[in-house]
Amino acid sequence: QVRLMESGGGLVQAGGSLRLSCSASGLTFDDYAMGWFRQTPGKEREEVGCIGGTAYGKLYADSVKGRFTISRDNAKNTLYLEMNSLKPDDTAMYYCAAYYSPGDFCVSRQTAYNKWGQGTQVTVSS
């Protein structure tokens, strides 16, 4: 059974940093493209970015480009999201997700992802 568990969320002041982690189990981790998504109440879930199984290919939403970095440690079955220069607009529940795709690349389209974590809350105060 595939399980994705996010951690690292919390309350941070604007301009600060947080590092989210997503621990995966029940899958051959490096055969899966991984993504980060976020959602605030009343809004649709949006993509943050994704990373291919080999960590070669990465994509980022324009809203986070230059501030957020996605990485993965395949030896530890863990996905990361380093978030810097945080803004109040970054406040959301953050989810990691996965889909089977051996290789270098990923897609940010949510419908491609069929494994999801429960989310971790990030709150950025002004």
Side-chain angles (χ1 to χ4, degrees):
Q1 181 178 359
V2 174
R3 186 181 184 194
L4 303 177
M5 181 179 293
E6 303 91 340
S7 61
L11 174 65
V12 63
Q13 287 188 333
S17 299
L18 275 178
R19 188 195 199 198
L20 305 185
S21 299
C22 172
S23 177
S25 60
L27 74 172
T28 303
F29 188 63
D30 53 4
D31 280 344
Y32 282 74
M34 302 293 297
W36 285 102
F37 298 84
R38 65 187 184 185
Q39 187 171 25
T40 54
K43 292 186 177 181
E44 292 188 357
R45 187 167 55 195
E46 63 176 7
E47 64 270 16
V48 174
C50 66
I51 185 169
T54 63
Y56 177 79
K58 300 180 186 180
L59 293 172
Y60 294 95
D62 288 343
S63 59
V64 307
K65 207 171 288 184
R67 299 187 299 122
F68 290 12
T69 301
I70 296 175
S71 62
R72 64 191 294 162
D73 186 336
N74 286 348
K76 295 182 178 179
N77 284 13
T78 303
L79 172 73
Y80 302 101
L81 179 65
E82 186 76 37
M83 305 186 293
N84 299 312
S85 302
L86 282 161
K87 306 174 182 179
D89 283 351
D90 295 318
T91 295
M93 184 72 78
Y94 282 72
Y95 300 90
C96 68
Y99 70 95
Y100 181 74
S101 181
D104 297 331
F105 301 104
C106 62
V107 298
S108 58
R109 185 179 73 252
Q110 291 188 47
T111 53
Y113 293 80
N114 54 8
K115 314 293 183 188
W116 291 84
Q118 295 298 308
T120 186
Q121 177 68 37
V122 172
T123 303
V124 184
S125 63
S126 57

